[in-house]
Amino acid sequence: MAPQSLPAPDLTVADLIRLLSQHDPATPVRLAINPFHPMAHRLDSVTAGQDQDGRTTVYLAEDPEGVQYGYLPRPVAEALTWMPPLDPRRSPRRHLRAVSP
């Protein structure tokens, strides 16, 4: 499942609602973090505040009791292009047979 392309430069609340509305509302949401060590994090709360440029911004906070929910599943990391796809065309390993003299 490939991720939806996000608008540049900032994802808006309307964009997030549109992207999330394509999924079953009962589906859990995780935050994918760190492409070099892909982890999944649980979300806890949503709050608004000012960013460093003084713009009102909505922040999604991770669950303080479950900082990392676990490793990001490889198919998800591949869909995000954080990991290369496994090459399904690899040939099986060759086994050497003992040769009697």
Side-chain angles (χ1 to χ4, degrees):
M1 158 182 10
Q4 299 276 332
S5 295
L6 302 178
D10 287 320
L11 180 71
T12 66
V13 171
D15 297 329
L16 184 58
I17 290 169
R18 180 180 49 79
L19 292 168
L20 289 174
S21 68
Q22 298 172 16
H23 301 277
D24 180 347
T27 303
V29 176
R30 301 284 182 261
L31 188 59
I33 301 285
N34 191 355
F36 299 107
H37 187 69
M39 299 298 290
H41 296 250
R42 285 184 178 167
L43 295 176
D44 179 58
S45 58
V46 177
T47 190
Q50 301 273 317
D51 70 5
Q52 66 271 15
D53 297 321
R55 296 176 299 183
T56 299
T57 304
V58 173
Y59 294 91
L60 306 176
E62 69 181 349
D63 179 4
E65 296 188 21
V67 176
Q68 292 180 344
Y69 186 68
Y71 291 104
L72 200 61
R74 183 168 187 108
V76 175
E78 288 176 7
L80 292 168
T81 68
W82 291 1
M83 296 178 105
L86 291 176
D87 187 2
R89 294 173 287 155
R90 286 187 182 163
S91 60
R93 290 182 169 257
R94 293 184 183 183
H95 297 282
L96 298 176
R97 292 186 197 158
V99 179
S100 50

